[in-house]
Amino acid sequence: MINILFFGQLKERLGCATLQWPITKSLSVQQLKQQLIEQQCQWQEWLSDSQVLCAVNHTIVDHHASINVGDEVAFFPPVTGG
Amino acid sequence: MIHIQTEDFDMAHEYQALRNDNHNDGAIVTFTGLVRDVSVNLPLQQLTLEHYPGMTEKSLTEIVSQAKQRWPLGNVRLIHRVGSLNSHEQIVFVGVTSKHRQAAFQACEFIMDFLKNQAPFWKKETTEQGEQWVDAKQTDQQALSRW
C-alpha cells in the first residue's frame, strides 16, 4: 500500500485529496500514473500534463523514480509560494 | 528558525531575534513579501495559500542549508504564512545575518528565489469573478540560473 496525495489545482480537478493505493512491489512514477489513469480514465487529461510534479517521501523526483511499498507519493502543479 | 504559520508575524520581533546572540555579524538583510491588492486587472478579495505539510518544512530546511553552505551566515529566520490572507497582509519573511552585507544580500535573494521555485506552496486568488489558481511564472524559474 502507498499513500497518494494531490495538491493545488490538480486536487480540485481530480476531486481527490488523498488515496490509499495497493502495490505489492516497486514501480516507477510513470507506471503509477498509468495505473491511476486506468482506474480513473477521466484523470488522464490532468495527470498526463507534463507540468505536473511528483514527490516521493517529500522529495521531488522524475518519472523514472522508483516507488516502494509504504512510500508517500504526491502529485501537484508547479509551486507558487513567496 | 523556520516557521509555517497562519498567524501574522512582527517584523520588529524578527529583527531583534536576528540581532540576539550575534555579536560578530555586521549585516542584517530582511525581505518581507506582501499580498498585492490586484489580481490581473481585478481587485483582490482574498488570497488562499495551500501547502504540503512535511514536505514544506523539509524543502525550506534544505534551501536554508544550501544558503549556509554558500555564504558565512549567522542567524537565519524564515516565516511563510498559509491559509486565508487579505490584501496588503504579510506573507513571507526572510532575514539573514552575516559579517558583511554582500553575503547577506545574496543569501536573502537566494533563499527567496529557491523558495518560489521549490517550496510546495500554492496560491489561489479570489476576485469578484470567483476563484483562480495562480500560475507559476517563467521569470521565477529563470531567476535560478544566476545561482
Side-chain angles (χ1 to χ4, degrees):
Chain A
M1 195 69 81
I2 55 173
N3 198 26
I4 307 176
L5 299 90
F6 302 100
F7 290 96
Q9 190 168 31
L10 184 65
K11 175 179 72 179
E12 290 189 353
R13 283 173 163 164
L14 302 182
C16 180
T18 64
L19 194 59
Q20 294 280 314
W21 193 255
I23 66 167
T24 52
K25 59 185 173 91
S26 298
L27 77 175
S28 71
V29 171
Q30 190 57 44
Q31 287 170 326
L32 174 62
K33 274 192 180 183
Q34 282 307 323
Q35 286 187 6
L36 292 170
I37 289 166
E38 281 167 22
Q39 184 89 1
Q40 299 273 352
C41 56
Q42 69 273 27
W43 285 10
Q44 172 147 21
E45 181 181 359
W46 310 119
L47 275 185
S48 300
D49 185 340
S50 61
Q51 292 222 58
V52 167
L53 301 172
C54 179
V56 175
N57 299 328
H58 298 160
T59 299
I60 290 179
V61 297
D62 67 24
H63 287 179
H64 305 295
S66 181
I67 296 167
N68 299 303
V69 174
D71 282 350
E72 180 172 300
V73 180
F75 293 102
F76 46 79
V79 301
T80 55
Chain B
M1 189 286 300
I2 294 171
H3 281 168
I4 314 297
Q5 61 191 47
T6 53
E7 62 269 26
D8 198 8
F9 50 85
D10 176 23
M11 177 71 181
H13 170 83
E14 296 308 318
Y15 178 78
Q16 193 55 48
L18 287 164
R19 289 186 69 184
N20 289 345
D21 305 321
N22 186 349
H23 304 297
N24 294 318
D25 285 345
I28 296 178
V29 170
T30 67
F31 169 81
T32 308
L34 307 175
V35 181
R36 277 172 282 125
D37 59 5
V38 169
S39 165
V40 192
N41 292 316
L42 294 170
L44 183 84
Q45 294 174 343
Q46 192 171 64
L47 182 72
T48 307
L49 269 146
E50 182 181 336
H51 78 119
Y52 179 1
M55 181 172 169
T56 313
E57 292 80 355
K58 182 178 177 182
S59 170
L60 295 177
T61 301
E62 282 175 7
I63 292 167
V64 169
S65 170
Q66 285 169 16
K68 285 183 167 174
Q69 285 170 27
R70 289 182 70 135
W71 295 279
L73 304 180
N75 292 333
V76 177
R77 297 180 74 81
L78 174 50
I79 300 171
H80 204 300
R81 293 179 67 195
V82 293
S84 296
L85 302 176
N86 295 313
S87 297
H88 311 300
E89 283 199 66
Q90 303 182 116
I91 304 180
V92 60
F93 173 87
V94 179
V96 303
T97 74
S98 191
K99 284 190 173 53
H100 303 288
R101 71 181 184 282
Q102 190 181 28
F105 273 125
Q106 289 185 351
C108 192
E109 283 204 278
F110 174 94
I111 290 169
M112 272 310 300
D113 281 352
F114 278 85
L115 181 155
K116 287 192 84 83
N117 280 283
Q118 294 183 351
F121 295 99
W122 299 274
K123 288 193 186 106
K124 185 200 263 181
E125 296 174 335
T126 305
T127 67
E128 63 187 25
Q129 290 190 350
E131 295 180 335
Q132 174 91 40
W133 288 95
V134 174
D135 287 328
K137 292 194 192 76
Q138 195 78 31
T139 48
D140 287 333
Q141 179 79 35
Q142 288 162 352
L144 294 187
S145 62
R146 61 177 162 156
W147 306 112

